[in-house]
Amino acid sequence: MNNILAVAQQGEPILNLIAAPVMEVELKSEWLNHLTEAMMATMLARQGVGIAAPQVYVSKRIIIVASRANPRYPDAPNMQPIIMLNPKIIEASQAKVIGQEGCLSVPEQRGDVARAEQIKVRYLNLQGHEIVQEFSGFPARIVQHEIDHLDGILFVERL
Ligand code: K2U
Ligand code: ZN
């Protein structure tokens, strides 16, 4: 069945909210599995390399990071999509890198954004296990872009 969701566009209030944390009790719920499956299907249908729950009108701290090589980042790693619950950047390099970004919620716009080159992220996976993982390069950019969505920030506000 088609579980591709509508994507909120710039100007819709949901995108400016601070999203709520996922609660312990939700971890084992069918709802969370269905939501993340629908987010994955929506991201893939839109050729995205990431997506955040607020973009599909769910103001919860859930993101998917799915780097793959693309015209703008031909050497981007092809990674298995990672679902992160309550992600938090716990370390970020001083060094920044400028790179071009786009957004499923801001069609027809691209811009150069400075992001930390390397970050350390702590998050829960769908099984409720806490994971600490380091990212650099394009995947690090995607993580920062998606966590911005959880804090109501669009990349165009960082141009
Ligand atoms: O969050 C989103 O709107 C998904 C963005 C993620 C993104 C993050 C950082 C840099 C670029 C994109 C979409 O993937 S936009 C489509 C896209 C894909 C690859 C490169 C540039 C834009
Ligand atoms: Zn975006």
Side-chain angles (χ1 to χ4, degrees):
M1 106 225 159
N2 168 2
N3 59 352
I4 294 172
L5 303 172
V7 174
Q9 297 300 291
Q10 182 177 21
E12 296 189 62
I14 187 105
L15 293 175
N16 304 326
L17 300 181
I18 306 281
V22 174
M23 311 311 284
E24 186 94 20
V25 67
E26 294 177 281
L27 280 176
K28 299 160 187 65
S29 69
E30 268 305 286
W31 119 267
L32 200 53
N33 288 325
H34 289 149
L35 173 63
T36 50
E37 279 164 18
M39 284 172 65
M40 188 77 75
T42 305
M43 178 191 73
L44 294 175
R46 306 283 293 267
Q47 286 89 43
V49 292
I51 195 166
Q55 293 183 278
V56 292
Y57 298 95
V58 175
S59 193
K60 299 286 282 185
R61 302 189 78 79
I62 304 165
I63 67 173
I64 298 179
V65 179
S67 166
R68 56 172 165 72
N70 62 86
R72 275 166 220 83
Y73 296 83
D75 53 358
N78 291 307
M79 60 189 273
Q80 281 305 315
I82 302 175
I83 297 170
M84 299 186 184
L85 310 180
N86 304 338
K88 182 171 175 49
I89 295 173
I90 55 175
E91 282 177 31
S93 63
Q94 289 298 323
K96 301 238 183 300
V97 178
I98 306 264
Q100 192 177 78
E101 299 190 9
C103 185
L104 301 178
S105 299
V106 185
E108 313 308 320
Q109 219 177 325
R110 292 273 186 267
D112 285 341
V113 180
R115 300 285 190 184
E117 208 294 324
Q118 170 133 21
I119 57 174
K120 190 177 281 188
V121 189
R122 185 184 62 221
Y123 63 92
L124 289 181
N125 66 13
L126 278 177
Q127 291 70 37
H129 300 143
E130 182 170 294
I131 296 174
V132 175
Q133 193 168 352
E134 290 196 19
F135 296 89
S136 63
F138 189 51
R141 176 173 298 279
I142 301 171
V143 172
Q144 292 171 81
H145 177 111
E146 302 310 336
I147 291 180
D148 269 356
H149 275 302
L150 304 184
D151 295 330
I153 300 166
L154 295 179
F155 84 97
V156 290
E157 299 166 45
R158 292 190 181 282
L159 294 182

